[in-house]
Amino acid sequence: MSLESPTRTAAAGRVAEFAAALDPADVPDEVLERARHLVLDAVGLAFASTAYPFAGVARDALTTFGAGAHPVLGMPDRLAPRDAAVLNGVLVHGMDFDDTHIPAVTHVSAAALPAAISAATVAGASTRELLAAYVLGVEVSARVGIGGAGGFHDVGFHPTAVAGAFGAAVAAGKLTGLDATGLASAQGVVGSMAAGLLEFLEDGSWTKRLHPGWAAMSGLTAAAFARAGWTGPAAVYEGRFGLYATHLSGRETHPEAVTEGLGERWELMRTAVKPYPICHFNHAFADAALLLRAEHDVRAEDVRAIRCAIHPVPGKVVCQPPENKWAPRDEYDAKFSLPYAVAAALVRGRFTLAELEDEALADREILALARRVEVVDDHEGLFPAAYSGRVEIELADGRAVAHREQVNRGHEERPLTNAEIVAKYTETIGRVADAATAERVRDAVLSLGDDRPAAEFAEACRDQR
């Protein structure tokens, strides 16, 4: 019988030892540079989200608990640190245009970044420490998501909410000075807070927008309890009643993924930046539709039928319930509708934020074309390693044209460049901010990693008007 401490042998303990020992100088320069651009994408999206009703509703809800001193991304408001983390998570993720770690099926920045900003500001940390902790949060969130082997969505859990809580706890714990024992406890504690249901898919409600901010707040809370001496179960991932046994009972899981390659393989480099403001499962279909439109001069009036092949697990997200997907009631339904994404791309020759506005959602040509979309199971795709999709279009002249996107754009094999991320940032923040503000924020983000106080960075990223 081994007498080795379960805290040291359990996955949470090994993550904790790695995180406690990590120095910012240990993170490769290319990882730090990519991290800055992922942060830039997230901050630009936070600013753009302030123009949507959900942002004001979230702010009003959180100000019920009083004001504070912590800045909010893209807003003039100041809140308590945990409330600011919730609102920042809502703003980063609210448009569903934020980055996704493909194998983890997890929006990694939306929880890790708000938790890191709040914890760094409270702790008086530097932007170097903030950036390294954000990288840690992404690494842990991604690995926890990978361990689910694509199963979280299939049983109705949102992996961003589940995996993001663990990443946020490690990021916050690192910044607030927890040692390895404390970081292990923080993961154990936050495991009891790791949840988020996909039931919003049935009626288009707003709960998904709240998930990453709530994960960030849970991570901050768990780290604070661990710092005060609270304990959490050592085997929170692989235990008899740990994460994978409870959330994915009877399914294939890979708890070893939580620690595999820590410090050797940087999962942040596999994080995909979205080219479209829709569910990542729809991206291959939008690209395929646009390619077929351009190459074969496809026009909506010439289309008899469209057949789309998608893996059944992501298919549940973007094709069910049918009444919401073939006739979206609002922009949130549209984001998660495969038929709408394909039809709008074919009719408009693009898919931008404009295709989610009321005028587009009421476009009779788009809605009529969406009704011609048939969805079938894809048995040749790569999910969850990539979000594959195939579109076949039957035309009035008897032709049938088809295209498969086996690896979606933005994937680690087809990443957006840093320059493309800057261009996306310029477009998104430009919807609500002037050029001077966009430049100030961009400079603050892309200089992350120096000795400036993190509080100065947070201040630079708020609405200062």
Side-chain angles (χ1 to χ4, degrees):
M1 178 182 294
S2 172
L3 298 179
E4 190 171 7
S5 167
T7 300
R8 298 301 185 190
T9 58
R14 297 199 296 277
V15 168
E17 289 180 345
F18 171 77
L22 184 73
D23 186 274
D26 297 332
V27 183
D29 288 343
E30 66 169 347
V31 175
L32 295 175
E33 184 64 6
R34 189 64 170 181
R36 294 184 188 97
H37 284 83
L38 295 181
V39 172
L40 185 70
D41 181 50
V43 173
L45 294 170
F47 269 82
S49 287
T50 62
Y52 291 84
F54 67 79
V57 173
R59 179 195 58 212
D60 292 347
L62 290 164
T63 54
T64 301
F65 305 109
H70 195 288
V72 175
L73 296 173
M75 285 184 162
D77 304 79
R78 297 181 187 277
L79 296 170
R82 286 193 301 171
D83 291 340
V86 174
L87 186 49
N88 284 338
V90 169
L91 294 171
V92 172
H93 184 58
M95 297 192 300
D96 221 284
F97 204 0
D98 51 314
D99 63 36
T100 308
H101 188 280
I102 299 294
V105 204
T106 299
H107 296 275
V108 285
S109 291
L113 181 62
I117 293 174
S118 286
T121 302
V122 169
S126 67
T127 71
R128 177 182 292 108
E129 294 164 318
L130 187 162
L131 187 62
Y134 160 73
V135 171
L136 263 178
V138 169
E139 294 299 308
V140 174
S141 298
R143 285 175 166 78
V144 174
I146 292 170
F152 285 117
H153 272 95
D154 203 28
V155 297
F157 283 113
H158 185 201
T160 297
V162 175
F166 291 97
V170 174
K174 176 68 173 178
L175 285 162
T176 53
L178 293 184
D179 60 11
T181 299
L183 286 164
S185 289
Q187 292 169 83
V189 171
V190 89
S192 290
M193 307 174 190
L197 305 180
L198 293 178
E199 184 61 20
F200 71 90
L201 290 168
E202 297 300 309
D203 58 14
S205 52
W206 289 3
T207 48
K208 182 176 187 285
R209 290 183 166 118
L210 181 57
H211 288 168
W214 196 259
M217 186 198 72
S218 297
L220 290 161
T221 303
F225 269 75
R227 190 179 186 195
W230 209 268
T231 60
V236 66
Y237 299 113
E238 69 273 47
R240 181 165 63 106
F241 297 121
L243 173 69
Y244 297 115
T246 55
H247 287 54
L248 295 170
S249 177
R251 293 176 174 268
E252 176 186 3
T253 60
H254 300 287
E256 69 279 3
V258 177
T259 58
E260 192 174 47
L262 272 172
E264 299 170 2
R265 183 184 70 249
W266 295 91
E267 294 296 335
L268 183 142
M269 300 300 290
R270 304 173 73 191
T271 300
V273 174
K274 282 188 172 184
Y276 300 115
I278 51 179
C279 177
H280 229 131
F281 297 153
N282 285 332
H283 284 210
F285 297 93
D287 269 340
L290 289 171
L291 184 146
L292 291 172
R293 184 184 192 273
E295 287 193 353
H296 301 282
D297 195 29
V298 173
R299 295 294 176 263
E301 60 269 22
D302 300 326
V303 175
R304 283 183 176 172
I306 304 169
R307 182 174 291 104
C308 296
I310 187 171
H311 186 281
V313 171
K316 288 182 179 180
V317 176
V318 294
C319 302
Q320 297 179 17
E323 59 271 19
N324 299 352
K325 306 307 183 184
W326 270 260
R329 297 159 298 178
D330 54 29
E331 55 92 21
Y332 216 54
D333 271 353
K335 287 176 183 290
F336 292 89
S337 166
L338 187 159
Y340 181 84
V342 170
L346 286 172
V347 170
R348 299 290 182 91
R350 65 185 189 186
F351 204 111
T352 68
L353 288 167
E355 278 60 63
L356 296 169
E357 294 177 357
D358 290 345
E359 177 271 332
L361 297 175
D363 188 316
R364 292 182 179 180
E365 189 175 19
I366 294 175
L367 295 175
L369 189 58
R371 287 193 288 272
R372 295 177 217 161
V373 174
E374 175 191 0
V375 176
V376 298
D377 287 348
D378 184 6
H379 301 291
E380 300 175 15
L382 300 177
F383 181 84
Y387 304 156
S388 310
R390 183 179 187 274
V391 176
E392 180 181 349
I393 302 175
E394 180 184 337
L395 298 168
D397 62 9
R399 288 182 298 150
V401 296
H403 179 73
R404 170 178 286 277
E405 289 280 304
Q406 190 72 334
V407 176
N408 55 291
R409 191 156 54 97
H411 187 276
E412 62 178 304
E413 295 180 13
R414 300 178 63 194
L416 269 64
T417 66
N418 288 343
E420 288 174 320
I421 294 173
V422 172
K424 177 185 172 184
Y425 161 81
T426 302
E427 180 179 346
T428 52
I429 196 172
R431 294 174 64 87
V432 297
D434 58 27
T437 299
E439 183 178 1
R440 181 193 77 230
V441 174
R442 185 194 65 221
D443 291 347
V445 173
L446 294 184
S447 62
L448 282 170
D450 58 20
D451 291 326
R452 287 177 302 128
E456 288 186 12
F457 163 74
E459 184 67 23
C461 293
R462 66 183 285 266
D463 182 355
Q464 298 181 355
R465 292 174 293 182

